């Protein structure tokens, strides 16, 4: 069953200072991770917004991970910033030179607010959240990882999934990296597929690392397995909602 709300929404482009600063402040306050890509380079870097000030037209990014991206920034190379907030993709271009500041051994990059921001509500891939009692065991493994990391599947769609790992594993995984062997113990059989790491955040309060994966070059057979699992979760969710009505 598809509703208008599930259909992909066209992206909006914000150009007013009020809309831009409000959108960026939302990313800052939620501590949503940002992916930075320099135009001529394939490597991805992670950062966060640490300052958004509409009055002075300024913003500041936290130190880049990995930090070697700083040399491209110092050279004045333009870059693209992309973040996700509750399923909304927020992206902008940065074509102006940033200044690097250091305070108490911590670095940040300061520049002006962008002149436009793309705001894209993407509802087309239904994300099925798993109830705590039915969390699926997962393992991430590949040539670029010393030893496999094991965790739990939190939610899944036809295009990707969100994972949870105990403790801080952020040093063991690299943003933008493709891991050739992602395995999940689905109820009707194990699946294995390559994945690309799109999001990584260690939540100190909970001592848990959250990761977002995009399925990569998935085979038709695995694609059907995932779709079957998502469909089953959707059906369970609808049945659960119906039970709630009585």
């Amino acid at each position: 069953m598809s509703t208008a709300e599930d259909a992909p929404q066209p992206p909006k482009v914000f150009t007013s200072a009020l809309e831009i600063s409000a959108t960026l402040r939302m990313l800052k306050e939620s501590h949503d991770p940002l992916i930075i890509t320099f135009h001529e380079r394939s490597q991805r870097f992670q950062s966060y917004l640490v300052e958004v000030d509409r009055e002075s037209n300024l913003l500041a990014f936290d130190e880049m991970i990995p930090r070697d991206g700083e040399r491209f920034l110092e050279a004045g190379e333009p870059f693209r910033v992309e973040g996700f907030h509750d399923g909304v993709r927020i992206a902008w271009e940065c074509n102006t030179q940033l200044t690097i500041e250091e305070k108490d051994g911590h670095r940040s990059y300061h520049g002006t607010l962008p002149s436009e921001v793309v705001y894209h509500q993407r509802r087309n891939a239904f994300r099925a959240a798993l109830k705590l009692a039915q969390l699926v065991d997962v393992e991430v493994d590949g040539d670029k990882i010393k030893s496999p990391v094991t965790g739990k599947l939190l939610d899944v769609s036809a295009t990707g999934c969100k994972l949870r790992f105990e403790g801080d594993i952020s040093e063991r995984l690299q943003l933008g990296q493709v891991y050739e062997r992602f395995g999940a113990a689905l109820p009707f059989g194990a699946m294995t597929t390559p994945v690309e790491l799109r999001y990584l955040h260690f939540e100190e309060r909970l001592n848990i690392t959250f990761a977002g994966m995009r399925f990569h070059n998935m085979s038709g057979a695995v694609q059907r397995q995932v779709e079957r699992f998502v469909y089953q979760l959707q059906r369970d969710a609808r049945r659960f909602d119906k039970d709630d009505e009585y």
Side-chain angles (χ1 to χ4, degrees), residues 135-158:
L135 293 186
V136 164
D137 289 324
V138 296
E139 181 178 276
V140 181
D141 193 10
D143 301 341
K144 295 277 183 1
I145 191 169
K146 284 197 179 94
S147 58
V149 288
T150 55
K152 298 284 188 184
L153 184 69
L154 287 183
D155 72 18
V156 62
S157 77

Side-chain angles (χ1 to χ4, degrees), residues 14 24 35 49-50 85 103 106 109 149 154 180 194 223:
F14 293 154
L24 299 191
I35 309 258
L49 280 175
V50 290
H85 180 84
K103 188 180 177 185
H106 198 87
Y109 320 122
V149 288
L154 287 183
E180 297 85 355
Q223 180 80 45

Side-chain angles (χ1 to χ4, degrees), residues 34-228:
L34 304 174
I35 309 258
I36 290 178
T37 39
F38 291 90
H39 290 211
E40 304 298 318
R41 305 178 187 281
S42 58
Q43 195 181 358
R44 290 193 167 102
F45 302 91
Q46 181 171 302
S47 184
Y48 296 88
L49 280 175
V50 290
E51 193 184 321
V52 176
D53 188 341
R54 183 163 69 96
E55 301 303 312
S56 54
N57 193 38
L58 293 176
L59 61 70
F61 296 97
D62 199 7
E63 186 173 307
M64 255 189 264
I65 309 166
R67 193 163 130 184
D68 53 0
E70 254 184 41
R71 63 179 191 273
F72 310 137
L73 195 130
E74 282 181 296
E77 292 191 24
F79 60 88
R80 181 171 189 76
V81 186
E82 182 182 45
F84 288 87
H85 180 84
D86 291 344
V88 177
R89 177 177 168 271
I90 297 163
W92 68 98
E93 300 283 340
C94 191
N95 300 311
T96 55
Q97 180 81 47
L98 301 185
T99 57
I100 300 174
E101 295 184 15
E102 186 156 352
K103 188 180 177 185
D104 303 329
H106 198 87
R107 294 161 85 83
S108 54
Y109 320 122
H110 298 251
T112 53
L113 290 175
S115 55
E116 62 175 50
V117 164
V118 176
Y119 182 96
H120 194 187
Q121 183 105 29
R122 302 202 295 187
R123 290 272 178 79
N124 47 340
F126 175 89
R127 289 198 86 80
L130 280 72
K131 298 182 189 71
L132 280 172
Q134 55 173 196
L135 293 186
V136 164
D137 289 324
V138 296
E139 181 178 276
V140 181
D141 193 10
D143 301 341
K144 295 277 183 1
I145 191 169
K146 284 197 179 94
S147 58
V149 288
T150 55
K152 298 284 188 184
L153 184 69
L154 287 183
D155 72 18
V156 62
S157 77
T159 54
C161 57
K162 188 173 177 182
L163 313 175
R164 183 186 85 183
F165 301 94
E166 294 299 324
D168 183 1
I169 60 143
S170 54
E171 295 297 313
R172 297 174 64 186
L173 298 176
Q174 167 71 51
L175 214 62
Q177 183 66 56
V178 171
Y179 295 98
E180 297 85 355
R181 296 178 293 284
F182 166 76
L186 300 186
F188 38 77
M191 62 162 269
T192 306
T193 186
V195 288
E196 180 192 357
L197 181 63
R198 298 280 295 171
Y199 168 93
L200 190 64
H201 176 60
F202 172 57
E203 189 61 65
E204 206 169 335
R205 224 163 21 92
L206 305 170
N207 194 33
I208 284 172
T209 304
F210 294 101
M213 298 287 186
R214 178 179 283 176
F215 297 132
H216 185 80
N217 293 343
M218 200 187 235
S219 72
V222 174
Q223 180 80 45
R224 286 189 290 279
Q225 257 185 308
V226 170
E227 284 169 359
R228 180 181 164 192

